[in-house]
Structures are given as C-alpha cells and as structure tokens.
Amino acid sequence: MKDWLQHLHPFKTAEARRLAILFAIVYFAQGMSALPIQVIAISFKDHGLEADDVATFFLLASIPWFIKPLYGLISDFLPLFGQRRKSYLLLTSALACMAGLTAGFSSHYTYWELAILYTAMGLGLAYNDVLTDALMVENGKSQGLTGAFQSVQWTAVTAASIIVGLLGGYFAEYRNLQAAFAVAAIFPFIVLLMTVFFVREKQVDPKNNGFKEIWAALREGFGERSVWLVAGFIFLFNFSPSFGPAFLYYQTDVLGFSQQYIGILSSVGAATSIAGAFIYAPLSRAMPLRHLINFAIGLSVITLLTYLAYRGETSALFIHVIWGITGMITTLAFLDLAARACPKRAEATFFALLMSIFNLGTLASQNVGAHLYTELGEGPFAYTWLVIISTLATAAIWLLVPLVHIERIESHARHH
C-alpha cells in the first residue's frame, strides 16, 4: 500500500516538479487558445459569411499544427542564442501573446487580417507544443516519467477546455471577440515568464553544436524499425472507424438532443477525463508499458461496446463519464509509447512526427466513420453497425502488439 501511495506522487525531485509545473502551464495556455473560436464563428455568421468561409478560416488557422515536425527540425538543428529550447520558447510565446493582444485591442479588422493574427497565434502555440514535448521526452525518458508528465499536460489542457466551453459561450453570447482574444493572450505571456524562471538549459557551444550528432540521430531514427512500427501502430489504432461527425448526426437526428445538451455532454467528458489522467500517472510507474498498452486496448473495446446502449439522455451522460476516463487512459498510453520510441538528440522532431501521425489517424478515422454511417443509410441501424465495426477494428490491434517489441523500446528508453 505504501509503494502504491508513493506512485501517486511520481515527481519526487525538485527538478521533476519544476518541469511538471512548466508543462501544465504551457498546455493550459494551449487549451485557452481555443477561447475565441466560438466568438469568431458566430461573428462571421452575423456578418453574412457562409459556412464554407468560416470553415476555410479555421482550416488556414490550423496549418501551423500540421507542420509541427518542421519546428522540431529547426529546434534540433539550429540553436538560437546558444539554446535549442529556451530561446525558441521565449520567441514563440512572445509571438502568440502579441498576436492575441493585437486582435484583442483592434476594434475593426477584415477576414484576412483576423486570419493572419489567429494563425500567428496558433504558430506560436504549436511551436511551444513541440518544444515542450521535446523537454518532456528528453527529461522523462531518463527518469521513467514520460507517462506522468503527459498526464499533467493532458489534465491541464482538459481543464482549460472546460473553462473555454463556459467562458467562450459567454463571450459568444455578447459577441465580445476582443475580450476573448485579450484573455487568451494572457496565457502565452505567462508561458514566457515560466520559461524565464523554470527552463534550465545548457548553452550549446557554437563551435561544437552537435550538428553531426543530431544528423546521425535523425538518420538512425529514420532507419530505426521500431520508430516506424510505433508510427504504424498508433496510426492504425486511431484509424479504426470512429464516430466523428456521424455521432453528431445520430445525437441530433435520431436521439433529438439539443446542441446545448450535446455541449454539456462534451464538458462532462472533458471533466471526467481529468480523472483518467490522474489514474494514468501512477499506472505508468507501476505497470510495464506493454501491459498498459494491452490494458488500454481492452478499455477501448469495452467502452466502445457500451455505445450500443447510447439511446437517451441518461445513458448518454453515463457513457460520456466512462469514456472520458477510459479515453484519456488509452490516449496517454499510446502517447507514452510514442515518447519512449523517440531517438535521443532528435526528440523534438520525432515526437512531433509521431503526434502528426497520431492526429492524422484520428482525422482519417472520423472521415471513414462518417462515410460508413452514410453508406449504411444513417439512423439507428447504421449507428449500431458503426459501433460494431469500430469495436472489431480496435480489438484487432491486439494482434499487432507482439510486432512492436514494446519491452525493447521501454528498456532502450530507460538506459539512454
């Protein structure tokens, strides 16, 4: 019992606690960056813009998040003022803050001016994400804390999501776009201050900046079979046809849920996922990673089956509570695997690459799920078969676990 309680507090050193606080603040800032989204959408609608114009706006603003491996390469290969992480964190935090403040204190701007400002804000935060993940992998692998650190990160971003849902709705109701941007801009500034006092990084010798070592690490990483096995593994797990837009159609057209209640269900799921993050932190220290992956797949299969009982407001609420917890545990297990698979000295590049593949799998699964739902005729019959297909596809991932050699990845991460 005593050992289990100790696992509940994995950050035993001052260094680990310092990093955990930094990661929490950075990820909370990322979550709060979504604060203007609802206000932007309703403001554009008020000005007569069509839905595709609004969709194009957010697609453009998402571009910085699609090219995250590029930031990793720049950070790994081109130290700024003798540092690979800290200097870039200061620069990109300042960029996100200034873009947000500019939008917050502007009374009038065109569609494209706002697109540029919001994209610049996203660029700063996406770059922050890559740099923070690099610090997480570099420090977490050697201490066996990648899972615990990611629990902190996802708890923070989820907590921010709950606030965004409530505060963003308030700003949207009163069409207060300036206030939404001004509040969102506060958090990159806090990240900047945290970077000044919490990030400690050795200066890189300009005459010996490790270029050859990093290039060798990149070549070794791209040639490492385990990296590509992990990439394929997490892509296929996320690619199992999921609900996505099809689920919204089912909730609205078949069950008759109001948009307000659907939003409440999302907030409930986000809130309970924090419990999942807290559960994963001690689990990541107590269980071998392969057992965690098998456990996570099993949780996903069981929880997906519960969606067959998703028939009304009460059952929906119960299932969202369960999925919030189990979904977070599953996500963190696969992110933990990705972090441990990253080669040393090229952590930023490879973790960003694996996260891009992770996100691509999720996006692809939602599109496939939507097409299946439509092809099956929509309605309860189509929904039931979509749940069954998704469950079977997820269960099939168990067959791939032995091919990934998770024990070797875990051992290599611990000793390097």
Side-chain angles (χ1 to χ4, degrees):
M1 184 66 181
K2 181 179 179 181
D3 290 340
W4 175 256
L5 289 174
Q6 288 178 340
H7 280 301
L8 290 174
H9 302 283
F11 309 118
K12 296 180 175 61
T13 65
E15 175 75 2
R17 290 190 291 271
R18 177 178 58 79
L19 288 169
I21 294 171
L22 173 67
F23 298 155
I25 296 297
V26 172
Y27 266 69
F28 189 85
Q30 286 180 30
M32 292 302 295
S33 69
L35 192 59
I37 289 177
Q38 188 175 349
V39 200
I40 291 172
I42 194 63
S43 297
F44 282 163
K45 185 176 183 299
D46 290 345
H47 284 83
L49 271 71
E50 300 294 337
D52 56 348
D53 295 322
V54 180
T56 300
F57 176 92
F58 287 114
L59 178 62
L60 291 171
S62 298
I63 288 175
W65 297 91
F66 297 152
I67 56 173
K68 286 167 57 176
L70 176 63
Y71 314 146
L73 284 170
I74 295 172
S75 175
D76 284 334
F77 273 107
L78 301 173
L80 183 65
F81 304 120
Q83 295 174 312
R84 289 195 171 89
R85 314 299 183 208
K86 185 171 184 176
S87 295
Y88 281 110
L89 272 170
L90 292 171
L91 181 64
T92 54
S93 298
L95 172 64
C97 180
M98 291 304 298
L101 287 177
T102 301
F105 287 101
S106 299
S107 56
H108 300 286
Y109 24 60
T110 66
Y111 176 96
W112 290 108
E113 287 171 345
L114 188 60
I116 291 170
L117 289 172
Y118 194 54
T119 302
M121 190 175 182
L123 172 61
L125 292 166
Y127 219 128
N128 271 356
D129 177 70
V130 172
L131 297 166
T132 305
D133 283 340
L135 290 171
M136 179 272 295
V137 175
E138 290 166 354
N139 292 277
K141 283 171 66 175
S142 61
Q143 302 176 50
L145 290 174
T146 52
F149 280 145
Q150 290 188 91
S151 294
V152 169
Q153 291 173 336
W154 282 76
T155 297
V157 77
T158 303
S161 298
I162 297 170
I163 297 173
V164 164
L166 299 173
L167 192 58
Y170 173 81
F171 286 143
E173 181 70 25
Y174 293 96
R175 308 301 195 265
N176 200 336
L177 185 57
Q178 286 75 24
F181 269 110
V183 173
I186 293 171
F187 295 93
F189 180 70
I190 295 174
V191 171
L192 190 151
L193 294 179
M194 292 289 293
T195 301
V196 171
F197 297 105
F198 276 63
V199 176
R200 298 167 188 168
E201 183 180 3
K202 293 181 180 179
Q203 287 284 324
V204 176
D205 186 349
K207 297 181 180 179
N208 182 27
N209 63 11
F211 181 91
K212 291 182 178 179
E213 290 84 353
I214 296 172
W215 177 246
L218 285 170
R219 291 183 60 187
E220 180 183 352
F222 281 115
E224 178 59 49
R225 183 167 173 264
S226 64
V227 172
W228 295 111
L229 284 172
V230 169
F233 186 57
I234 62 178
F235 176 83
L236 289 173
F237 177 79
N238 281 348
F239 183 68
S240 59
S242 67
F243 309 137
F247 192 47
L248 179 64
Y249 276 55
Y250 175 73
Q251 290 174 309
T252 305
D253 298 336
V254 177
L255 300 182
F257 289 176
S258 69
Q259 296 304 302
Q260 183 178 7
Y261 190 68
I262 292 172
I264 290 172
L265 291 174
S266 297
S267 296
V268 168
T272 57
S273 67
I274 294 176
F278 275 104
I279 292 170
Y280 187 79
L283 280 179
S284 68
R285 300 277 288 170
M287 292 175 63
L289 185 57
R290 176 167 177 164
H291 293 173
L292 279 171
I293 293 294
N294 282 317
F295 178 62
I297 296 171
L299 281 179
S300 292
V301 169
I302 294 170
T303 309
L304 282 168
L305 286 173
T306 66
Y307 274 84
L308 292 172
Y310 200 104
R311 303 297 181 186
E313 291 188 354
T314 302
S315 61
L317 183 63
F318 177 76
I319 291 170
H320 276 271
V321 169
I322 299 301
W323 181 251
I325 297 171
T326 60
M328 178 60 78
I329 292 172
T330 299
T331 297
L332 289 174
F334 278 83
L335 294 182
D336 200 355
L337 174 63
R340 301 195 201 196
C342 293
K344 186 176 177 61
R345 309 243 12 199
E347 291 89 351
T349 299
F350 277 92
F351 193 75
L353 175 63
L354 291 174
M355 288 305 93
S356 294
I357 292 172
F358 185 95
N359 295 331
L360 179 61
T362 301
L363 183 62
S365 74
Q366 292 178 357
N367 278 272
V368 171
H371 283 295
L372 281 173
Y373 186 73
T374 302
E375 290 297 321
L376 291 170
E378 303 186 356
F381 175 80
Y383 170 79
T384 298
W385 273 106
L386 184 56
V387 172
I388 293 172
I389 292 169
S390 183
T391 302
L392 291 175
T394 300
I397 302 299
W398 263 320
L399 301 175
L400 303 179
V401 172
L403 303 178
V404 184
H405 303 294
I406 297 174
E407 296 94 337
R408 186 174 65 186
I409 292 172
E410 186 174 25
S411 175
H412 188 270
R414 187 180 297 115
H415 295 99
H416 290 80

